[in-house]
Structure formats: structure tokens, C-alpha cells
Amino acid sequence: MVIQTDRGAHSSRNWSIGGVSFYAPDNLFEEGETIEGRLSITGRDDLTATARMVVVHKGMGKGQVSVRFHQYGDDLKQLLKTAFLEHQKLEG
């Protein structure tokens, strides 16, 4: 999954229905900050969603940021459902 914010594009492999973790420089986001981003599934430019997210944790020195989704729109629900189903196919 890719998260595009006003501070750049960030890749993620860890996501759930409640939120996502992605890699970013340690000083780019602050805990408690609300950010808006455009999410897409890697290789699937046809399916994107906009989400408001709250930064809940920063892995200092690791460049990992964990956020929870603050608002769910139908586009985000569809993206997460599709990502889940594609993940299930890969796991066999």
C-alpha cells in the first residue's frame, strides 16, 4: 500500500481495518497529529481512497509511523476490502 501525503509518498506493508503503519523520516510527523493522505494499493492505480488519519506512534530511529483512520468513506472501505481479498489470494 502507498500513502501519499503533502509531505511525500510513503510505502507500507502493515495495514489493517483500523489503520496503517508506514515508513517516513523520524521528524516528518508528530504523535497526535491529524494528517490527510491518499491511499492506493501498490500496482493498482485504479483504486484509491482519501483518509484522515491520526498519528498514534512513531518508532524513533526506525522511521516507522503508525496511524489510525479517523474517518472512513466508502472509497476507503472499498480499498481496504480489495486489499484484504488480494492478500488472501496471495496467502493461498
XYZ file of all heavy atoms in Angstrom:
719
model
N 0.849 -1.163 0.000
C 0.000 0.000 0.000
C 0.902 1.235 0.000
O 1.977 1.217 0.589
C -0.919 -0.014 1.219
C -1.994 1.036 1.174
S -3.277 0.851 2.441
C -4.019 -0.703 1.989
N 0.441 2.296 -0.655
C 1.170 3.556 -0.713
C 0.287 4.650 -0.132
O -0.902 4.727 -0.443
C 1.557 3.921 -2.165
C 2.231 5.275 -2.230
C 2.444 2.845 -2.760
N 0.876 5.481 0.721
C 0.182 6.616 1.304
C 0.852 7.880 0.783
O 2.049 8.090 0.999
C 0.244 6.607 2.851
C -0.418 5.343 3.404
C -0.418 7.843 3.429
C 0.519 4.246 3.680
N 0.098 8.710 0.076
C 0.612 9.973 -0.464
C 0.084 11.101 0.415
O -1.121 11.277 0.540
C 0.145 10.167 -1.918
C 0.573 11.475 -2.529
C 2.070 11.511 -2.820
O 2.631 10.548 -3.332
N 2.705 12.608 -2.493
N 1.000 11.838 1.063
C 0.613 12.991 1.872
C 1.250 14.238 1.272
O 2.019 14.148 0.311
C 1.082 12.843 3.334
O 2.508 12.956 3.389
C 0.652 11.508 3.928
N 0.959 15.379 1.863
C 1.585 16.607 1.387
C 3.088 16.626 1.684
O 3.794 17.505 1.237
C 0.901 17.840 1.981
C 0.991 17.916 3.490
O 1.359 16.907 4.140
O 0.685 18.989 4.037
N 3.561 15.622 2.419
C 4.988 15.524 2.764
C 5.685 14.395 2.017
O 6.780 13.979 2.371
C 5.140 15.332 4.263
C 4.567 16.517 5.019
C 4.580 16.303 6.485
N 3.452 17.040 7.037
C 3.001 16.891 8.253
N 3.555 16.027 9.062
N 1.978 17.592 8.667
N 5.024 13.847 1.012
C 5.658 12.816 0.204
C 4.874 11.524 0.150
O 3.808 11.390 0.744
N 5.426 10.557 -0.572
C 4.833 9.228 -0.702
C 5.536 8.283 0.261
O 6.756 8.321 0.402
C 4.969 8.721 -2.136
N 4.757 7.441 0.919
C 5.285 6.534 1.934
C 4.747 5.136 1.677
O 3.554 4.956 1.457
C 4.873 7.014 3.328
C 5.075 8.479 3.522
N 6.315 9.036 3.730
C 4.209 9.508 3.473
C 6.184 10.342 3.843
N 4.918 10.657 3.688
N 5.619 4.146 1.727
C 5.181 2.774 1.474
C 4.866 2.058 2.779
O 5.404 2.374 3.825
C 6.251 2.010 0.696
O 7.420 1.902 1.459
N 3.965 1.087 2.660
C 3.529 0.335 3.826
C 3.302 -1.121 3.452
O 2.844 -1.435 2.364
C 2.218 0.907 4.354
O 1.688 0.057 5.339
N 3.611 -1.992 4.377
C 3.258 -3.409 4.244
C 2.348 -3.834 5.376
O 1.775 -4.899 5.333
C 4.512 -4.275 4.248
C 5.324 -4.094 2.998
C 6.409 -5.107 2.940
N 7.128 -4.939 1.692
C 7.918 -5.819 1.195
N 8.127 -6.944 1.814
N 8.530 -5.599 0.057
N 2.231 -2.983 6.395
C 1.423 -3.313 7.570
C 0.184 -2.423 7.596
O 0.288 -1.226 7.813
C 2.227 -3.111 8.853
C 3.460 -3.966 8.893
O 3.411 -5.131 8.536
N 4.568 -3.394 9.307
N -0.974 -3.008 7.378
C -2.213 -2.259 7.406
C -3.298 -3.137 7.995
O -3.188 -4.360 8.047
C -2.622 -1.808 5.998
C -2.764 -2.946 5.041
C -1.788 -3.492 4.270
C -3.929 -3.731 4.813
N -2.273 -4.557 3.561
C -3.598 -4.716 3.872
C -5.229 -3.684 5.294
C -4.506 -5.653 3.418
C -6.142 -4.617 4.835
C -5.775 -5.582 3.906
N -4.340 -2.511 8.473
C -5.496 -3.237 8.998
C -6.726 -2.378 8.749
O -6.625 -1.263 8.240
C -5.334 -3.514 10.494
O -5.434 -2.311 11.232
N -7.870 -2.868 9.165
C -9.101 -2.107 9.023
C -9.020 -0.819 9.847
O -9.569 0.196 9.479
C -10.314 -2.963 9.461
C -10.436 -4.203 8.573
C -11.595 -2.172 9.445
C -10.602 -3.921 7.099
N -8.284 -0.836 10.938
C -8.214 0.326 11.826
C -7.154 1.341 11.477
O -7.264 2.517 11.846
N -6.111 0.930 10.780
C -5.044 1.878 10.489
C -3.942 1.252 9.666
O -4.087 0.159 9.141
N -2.831 1.968 9.614
C -1.724 1.538 8.770
C -0.417 2.020 9.399
O -0.400 2.999 10.135
C -1.910 2.104 7.328
C -1.836 3.606 7.301
C -0.951 1.495 6.353
N 0.654 1.301 9.150
C 1.994 1.734 9.535
C 2.787 1.931 8.259
O 2.662 1.156 7.312
C 2.700 0.687 10.402
O 2.047 0.550 11.635
N 3.588 2.991 8.224
C 4.387 3.268 7.042
C 5.724 3.843 7.452
O 5.936 4.200 8.608
C 3.649 4.201 6.067
C 3.234 5.528 6.645
C 4.106 6.609 6.644
C 1.969 5.700 7.158
C 3.724 7.832 7.159
C 1.571 6.923 7.674
C 2.452 7.995 7.668
N 6.620 3.916 6.498
C 7.963 4.407 6.749
C 8.082 5.866 6.334
O 7.645 6.255 5.252
C 8.981 3.545 6.010
C 8.980 2.135 6.530
C 8.304 1.132 5.872
C 9.619 1.834 7.726
C 8.265 -0.155 6.374
C 9.587 0.548 8.241
C 8.910 -0.439 7.566
O 8.858 -1.701 8.072
N 8.659 6.675 7.230
C 8.890 8.098 6.982
C 10.008 8.557 7.901
O 10.224 7.971 8.967
C 7.625 8.900 7.263
N 10.724 9.598 7.544
C 11.762 10.129 8.429
C 11.186 10.476 9.806
O 10.031 10.903 9.914
C 12.244 11.392 7.704
C 11.927 11.137 6.268
C 10.654 10.325 6.280
N 11.996 10.288 10.850
C 11.530 10.475 12.227
C 10.916 11.844 12.505
O 10.003 11.966 13.302
C 12.686 10.246 13.218
C 13.012 8.771 13.378
O 12.155 7.924 13.043
O 14.117 8.462 13.834
N 11.402 12.873 11.868
C 10.935 14.215 12.197
C 9.814 14.715 11.282
O 9.449 15.880 11.324
C 12.103 15.204 12.150
C 12.748 15.264 10.773
O 12.454 14.444 9.911
N 13.623 16.225 10.571
N 9.231 13.861 10.474
C 8.245 14.291 9.491
C 6.844 14.437 10.078
O 6.090 15.318 9.687
C 8.218 13.306 8.324
C 7.687 13.822 7.003
C 8.438 15.060 6.542
C 7.819 12.735 5.949
N 6.480 13.588 11.035
C 5.156 13.611 11.641
C 5.290 13.624 13.157
O 6.275 13.136 13.701
C 4.346 12.379 11.221
C 4.119 12.294 9.735
C 4.907 11.474 8.945
C 3.118 13.026 9.129
C 4.708 11.387 7.576
C 2.908 12.951 7.764
C 3.701 12.136 6.992
N 4.270 14.148 13.836
C 4.257 14.187 15.303
C 3.110 13.337 15.836
O 2.021 13.313 15.248
C 4.083 15.629 15.795
C 5.234 16.548 15.424
C 6.561 16.120 16.040
O 6.557 15.613 17.180
O 7.587 16.280 15.367
N 3.328 12.666 16.965
C 2.258 11.891 17.588
C 1.101 12.819 17.925
O 1.304 13.942 18.380
C 2.768 11.171 18.840
C 3.673 10.010 18.508
C 4.103 9.209 19.725
O 3.561 9.417 20.826
O 4.990 8.364 19.559
N -0.116 12.359 17.674
C -1.317 13.143 17.927
C -1.737 14.019 16.756
O -2.854 14.540 16.732
N -0.870 14.163 15.779
C -1.164 14.987 14.615
C -2.183 14.292 13.708
O -2.155 13.082 13.525
C 0.134 15.215 13.837
C -0.015 15.991 12.570
C 1.301 16.145 11.805
O 2.337 15.575 12.218
O 1.268 16.842 10.789
N -3.111 15.076 13.154
C -4.053 14.557 12.166
C -3.523 14.906 10.786
O -3.163 16.052 10.524
C -5.447 15.169 12.363
O -5.921 14.834 13.673
C -6.432 14.625 11.339
N -3.456 13.905 9.925
C -2.959 14.113 8.565
C -3.988 13.578 7.573
O -4.834 12.754 7.924
C -1.590 13.431 8.333
C -1.666 11.918 8.587
C -0.513 14.072 9.179
C -0.393 11.162 8.254
N -3.910 14.069 6.367
C -4.761 13.548 5.305
C -3.868 12.935 4.252
O -2.801 13.470 3.941
C -5.608 14.656 4.693
C -6.627 14.120 3.708
C -7.675 15.147 3.335
O -8.239 15.763 4.245
O -7.912 15.301 2.135
N -4.278 11.810 3.740
C -3.483 11.138 2.731
C -4.347 10.430 1.706
O -5.531 10.199 1.929
N -3.730 10.128 0.610
C -4.385 9.365 -0.456
C -3.737 7.992 -0.451
O -2.519 7.871 -0.582
C -4.170 10.059 -1.794
C -4.983 9.466 -2.894
C -5.708 10.605 -3.634
N -6.626 10.115 -4.636
C -7.919 9.924 -4.404
N -8.423 10.177 -3.231
N -8.698 9.487 -5.349
N -4.535 6.972 -0.273
C -4.039 5.606 -0.205
C -4.313 4.886 -1.507
O -5.350 5.099 -2.135
C -4.719 4.841 0.932
C -4.304 5.198 2.350
C -4.894 6.510 2.772
C -4.712 4.112 3.302
N -3.381 4.038 -1.894
C -3.577 3.185 -3.057
C -2.878 1.861 -2.824
O -1.955 1.763 -2.020
C -3.054 3.858 -4.333
O -1.676 4.089 -4.240
N -3.355 0.853 -3.513
C -2.732 -0.456 -3.456
C -1.601 -0.454 -4.477
O -1.795 -0.013 -5.616
C -3.751 -1.563 -3.771
C -4.880 -1.549 -2.730
C -3.076 -2.928 -3.821
C -6.032 -2.468 -3.066
N -0.438 -0.914 -4.083
C 0.699 -0.947 -4.988
C 0.330 -1.674 -6.277
O -0.186 -2.788 -6.236
C 1.896 -1.638 -4.307
O 2.168 -0.972 -3.073
C 3.126 -1.612 -5.188
N 0.556 -1.002 -7.400
C 0.255 -1.592 -8.688
C -1.195 -1.473 -9.117
O -1.574 -1.980 -10.165
N -2.033 -0.818 -8.311
C -3.461 -0.662 -8.626
C -3.831 0.819 -8.598
O -4.468 1.300 -7.669
C -4.327 -1.404 -7.608
C -4.283 -2.904 -7.640
C -5.100 -3.507 -8.762
N -6.444 -2.988 -8.884
C -7.525 -3.564 -8.354
N -7.413 -4.664 -7.649
N -8.711 -3.034 -8.544
N -3.429 1.550 -9.616
C -3.725 2.980 -9.676
C -5.203 3.261 -9.888
O -5.644 4.399 -9.718
C -2.913 3.634 -10.800
C -1.419 3.578 -10.526
O -1.026 3.515 -9.346
O -0.648 3.590 -11.500
N -5.975 2.241 -10.241
C -7.402 2.414 -10.481
C -8.215 2.470 -9.196
O -9.386 2.826 -9.217
C -7.920 1.271 -11.354
C -7.747 -0.090 -10.691
O -6.670 -0.327 -10.098
O -8.678 -0.916 -10.772
N -7.612 2.129 -8.062
C -8.338 2.079 -6.794
C -7.590 2.901 -5.761
O -6.524 2.511 -5.292
C -8.468 0.618 -6.330
C -9.310 0.370 -5.101
C -10.756 0.814 -5.339
C -9.292 -1.105 -4.749
N -8.145 4.064 -5.419
C -7.531 4.937 -4.431
C -8.588 5.415 -3.447
O -9.787 5.312 -3.712
C -6.870 6.172 -5.086
O -7.878 6.939 -5.737
C -5.793 5.768 -6.064
N -8.134 5.925 -2.305
C -9.051 6.450 -1.298
C -8.362 7.579 -0.541
O -7.148 7.567 -0.366
C -9.448 5.347 -0.315
N -9.147 8.527 -0.109
C -8.649 9.603 0.732
C -9.037 9.288 2.163
O -10.166 8.855 2.422
C -9.250 10.956 0.306
O -8.898 11.195 -1.049
C -8.740 12.085 1.164
N -8.111 9.507 3.103
C -8.392 9.207 4.503
C -7.765 10.249 5.408
O -6.672 10.740 5.138
C -7.853 7.834 4.872
N -8.476 10.578 6.472
C -7.902 11.375 7.556
C -7.408 10.378 8.590
O -8.107 9.439 8.941
C -8.939 12.326 8.136
C -9.301 13.433 7.156
C -10.317 14.406 7.692
N -9.984 15.013 8.963
C -9.202 16.077 9.137
N -8.665 16.656 8.095
N -8.971 16.570 10.338
N -6.165 10.601 9.054
C -5.520 9.665 9.964
C -4.897 10.426 11.129
O -4.462 11.559 10.967
C -4.423 8.897 9.218
C -4.927 8.125 8.010
S -3.609 7.590 6.886
C -3.395 9.069 5.887
N -4.844 9.782 12.279
C -4.207 10.352 13.460
C -2.947 9.548 13.744
O -2.997 8.314 13.821
C -5.145 10.325 14.683
C -4.435 10.832 15.921
C -6.396 11.136 14.404
N -1.820 10.241 13.913
C -0.556 9.568 14.231
C -0.622 9.100 15.678
O -0.773 9.891 16.601
C 0.645 10.524 14.022
C 1.948 9.835 14.407
C 0.696 11.020 12.579
N -0.523 7.785 15.889
C -0.610 7.221 17.243
C 0.740 6.775 17.785
O 0.907 6.638 18.991
C -1.630 6.062 17.328
C -3.034 6.575 17.092
C -1.298 4.950 16.361
N 1.714 6.555 16.900
C 3.022 6.093 17.379
C 4.090 6.364 16.329
O 3.837 6.259 15.128
C 2.981 4.591 17.667
C 4.287 4.043 18.131
N 4.795 4.293 19.385
C 5.202 3.279 17.494
C 5.977 3.689 19.496
N 6.233 3.074 18.361
N 5.269 6.724 16.822
C 6.438 6.867 15.955
C 7.534 5.968 16.488
O 7.858 6.020 17.666
C 6.943 8.309 15.976
C 6.048 9.279 15.262
C 6.474 10.728 15.394
C 7.943 10.935 15.352
N 8.372 12.325 15.314
N 8.079 5.122 15.657
C 9.200 4.268 16.038
C 10.490 5.048 15.827
O 11.100 4.949 14.763
N 10.872 5.850 16.802
C 12.055 6.696 16.672
C 13.276 5.859 16.310
O 13.500 4.790 16.865
C 12.316 7.468 17.968
C 11.211 8.467 18.303
S 10.967 9.722 17.030
C 12.463 10.653 17.207
N 14.032 6.339 15.361
C 15.227 5.638 14.911
C 14.936 4.550 13.895
O 15.834 4.034 13.258
N 13.662 4.178 13.761
C 13.267 3.132 12.812
C 12.540 3.718 11.608
O 12.342 3.039 10.619
C 12.352 2.112 13.493
C 13.027 1.376 14.630
C 12.059 0.412 15.269
C 12.722 -0.278 16.445
N 11.809 -1.183 17.127
N 12.097 4.978 11.734
C 11.384 5.618 10.636
C 10.005 5.050 10.388
O 9.473 5.151 9.301
N 9.395 4.443 11.397
C 8.072 3.860 11.225
C 7.034 4.721 11.936
O 7.223 5.127 13.080
C 8.019 2.445 11.774
C 6.717 1.758 11.448
C 6.772 0.268 11.732
O 7.818 -0.270 12.065
N 5.650 -0.394 11.605
N 5.945 5.013 11.250
C 4.848 5.819 11.771
C 3.586 4.970 11.740
O 3.267 4.360 10.720
C 4.644 7.093 10.908
C 3.474 7.905 11.409
C 5.915 7.927 10.874
N 2.869 4.919 12.854
C 1.606 4.181 12.916
C 0.467 5.187 13.057
O 0.536 6.095 13.881
C 1.581 3.228 14.110
O 2.580 2.238 13.974
N -0.557 5.010 12.239
C -1.712 5.893 12.286
C -2.981 5.059 12.386
O -2.998 3.886 12.024
C -1.789 6.803 11.029
C -0.571 7.698 10.917
C -1.954 5.984 9.758
N -4.014 5.674 12.912
C -5.337 5.039 12.872
C -6.213 5.909 11.999
O -6.052 7.125 11.936
C -5.929 4.850 14.254
C -6.304 6.100 14.974
C -7.007 5.788 16.305
N -7.054 6.959 17.141
C -7.915 7.953 16.987
N -8.798 7.917 16.023
N -7.893 9.000 17.790
N -7.129 5.267 11.302
C -8.028 6.005 10.428
C -9.005 6.798 11.280
O -9.601 6.279 12.216
C -8.777 5.062 9.489
C -7.866 4.337 8.537
C -7.829 2.959 8.507
C -7.024 5.036 7.688
C -6.990 2.283 7.634
C -6.172 4.375 6.812
C -6.159 3.000 6.789
N -9.146 8.073 10.962
C -10.013 8.982 11.714
C -11.397 9.059 11.075
O -12.385 9.234 11.765
C -9.361 10.363 11.770
C -10.107 11.354 12.576
N -10.321 11.218 13.921
C -10.696 12.513 12.223
C -11.003 12.249 14.360
N -11.252 13.052 13.354
N -11.448 8.947 9.768
C -12.714 8.972 9.046
C -12.698 7.898 7.971
O -11.682 7.686 7.324
C -12.933 10.323 8.367
C -13.179 11.456 9.320
C -13.360 12.767 8.573
O -12.683 13.011 7.582
N -14.254 13.594 9.049
N -13.838 7.240 7.814
C -13.983 6.210 6.785
C -14.995 6.678 5.753
O -16.138 6.957 6.095
C -14.527 4.904 7.382
C -13.554 4.124 8.193
C -13.325 4.406 9.524
C -12.869 3.072 7.614
C -12.431 3.671 10.268
C -11.972 2.320 8.357
C -11.763 2.634 9.685
O -10.883 1.901 10.414
N -14.577 6.743 4.516
C -15.511 6.972 3.419
C -15.714 5.666 2.692
O -15.015 4.675 2.933
N -16.679 5.645 1.796
C -16.928 4.429 1.020
C -15.712 4.029 0.201
O -15.441 2.843 0.020
C -18.135 4.613 0.108
C -19.447 4.652 0.887
O -19.480 4.159 2.033
O -20.443 5.166 0.333
N -14.942 5.038 -0.277
C -13.757 4.719 -1.078
C -12.697 4.004 -0.245
O -12.068 3.061 -0.703
C -13.179 5.961 -1.755
C -12.780 7.078 -0.785
O -13.197 7.050 0.402
O -12.066 8.002 -1.224
N -12.535 4.399 1.015
C -11.567 3.732 1.893
C -12.032 2.316 2.231
O -11.244 1.375 2.218
C -11.331 4.538 3.162
C -10.349 3.936 4.166
C -8.974 3.711 3.537
C -10.237 4.814 5.407
N -13.316 2.168 2.496
C -13.849 0.834 2.787
C -13.605 -0.111 1.611
O -13.197 -1.256 1.796
C -15.339 0.915 3.107
C -15.641 1.604 4.413
C -17.139 1.741 4.602
C -17.469 2.585 5.819
N -18.916 2.811 5.940
N -13.857 0.373 0.388
C -13.660 -0.461 -0.800
C -12.185 -0.804 -0.991
O -11.837 -1.940 -1.309
C -14.208 0.243 -2.048
C -14.091 -0.594 -3.305
C -14.862 -1.903 -3.215
O -15.988 -1.945 -2.735
N -14.252 -2.986 -3.665
N -11.302 0.170 -0.777
C -9.869 -0.082 -0.928
C -9.405 -1.139 0.071
O -8.688 -2.071 -0.293
C -9.075 1.218 -0.734
C -7.569 1.034 -0.878
C -7.011 2.066 -1.836
C -6.885 1.145 0.455
N -9.813 -1.017 1.327
C -9.393 -1.984 2.344
C -9.964 -3.372 2.067
O -9.280 -4.381 2.243
C -9.804 -1.503 3.734
C -9.071 -0.252 4.225
C -9.703 0.247 5.507
C -7.590 -0.511 4.404
N -11.194 -3.434 1.599
C -11.801 -4.731 1.253
C -11.026 -5.387 0.111
O -10.693 -6.572 0.175
C -13.252 -4.529 0.858
C -13.958 -5.805 0.468
C -15.407 -5.541 0.091
C -16.075 -6.819 -0.380
N -17.471 -6.566 -0.761
N -10.713 -4.603 -0.919
C -9.966 -5.136 -2.056
C -8.575 -5.579 -1.630
O -8.105 -6.642 -2.029
C -9.874 -4.082 -3.177
O -11.203 -3.731 -3.578
C -9.100 -4.609 -4.373
N -7.903 -4.763 -0.815
C -6.566 -5.124 -0.334
C -6.615 -6.426 0.462
O -5.750 -7.291 0.313
C -5.996 -3.996 0.517
N -7.626 -6.583 1.310
C -7.773 -7.799 2.102
C -7.965 -9.009 1.190
O -7.313 -10.048 1.369
C -8.948 -7.666 3.074
C -9.247 -8.912 3.825
C -8.438 -9.298 4.893
C -10.304 -9.730 3.473
C -8.686 -10.475 5.584
C -10.565 -10.904 4.159
C -9.755 -11.275 5.223
N -8.863 -8.890 0.204
C -9.123 -10.018 -0.698
C -7.890 -10.378 -1.526
O -7.600 -11.557 -1.720
C -10.306 -9.695 -1.613
C -11.662 -9.596 -0.900
C -12.730 -9.098 -1.862
C -12.051 -10.922 -0.264
N -7.146 -9.374 -1.997
C -5.923 -9.658 -2.744
C -4.872 -10.310 -1.848
O -4.156 -11.204 -2.286
C -5.400 -8.377 -3.390
C -6.235 -7.939 -4.559
C -5.682 -6.759 -5.315
O -4.541 -6.321 -5.019
O -6.377 -6.278 -6.217
N -4.799 -9.881 -0.609
C -3.872 -10.501 0.341
C -4.236 -11.960 0.577
O -3.366 -12.834 0.620
C -3.884 -9.721 1.663
C -2.986 -10.304 2.698
N -1.626 -10.174 2.651
C -3.261 -11.056 3.790
C -1.091 -10.801 3.685
N -2.067 -11.337 4.391
N -5.533 -12.242 0.706
C -6.000 -13.623 0.907
C -5.595 -14.506 -0.271
O -5.194 -15.643 -0.086
C -7.518 -13.653 1.075
C -7.988 -13.053 2.373
C -7.641 -13.914 3.551
O -6.495 -13.968 3.994
N -8.620 -14.586 4.102
N -5.708 -13.979 -1.491
C -5.322 -14.741 -2.686
C -3.839 -15.075 -2.670
O -3.432 -16.184 -3.019
C -5.644 -13.958 -3.946
C -7.082 -13.882 -4.288
C -7.274 -13.081 -5.562
C -8.724 -12.790 -5.828
N -8.889 -11.915 -7.003
N -3.014 -14.126 -2.262
C -1.576 -14.340 -2.222
C -1.175 -15.366 -1.176
O -0.225 -16.120 -1.347
C -0.833 -13.025 -1.944
C -0.876 -11.998 -3.067
C -0.231 -10.690 -2.598
C -0.177 -12.522 -4.316
N -1.916 -15.378 -0.068
C -1.614 -16.316 1.010
C -2.075 -17.724 0.677
O -1.640 -18.674 1.297
C -2.272 -15.840 2.324
C -1.674 -14.539 2.848
C -0.225 -14.711 3.263
O 0.091 -15.674 3.967
O 0.583 -13.850 2.871
N -2.977 -17.831 -0.303
C -3.439 -19.131 -0.772
C -4.358 -19.786 0.153
O -4.598 -20.865 0.374
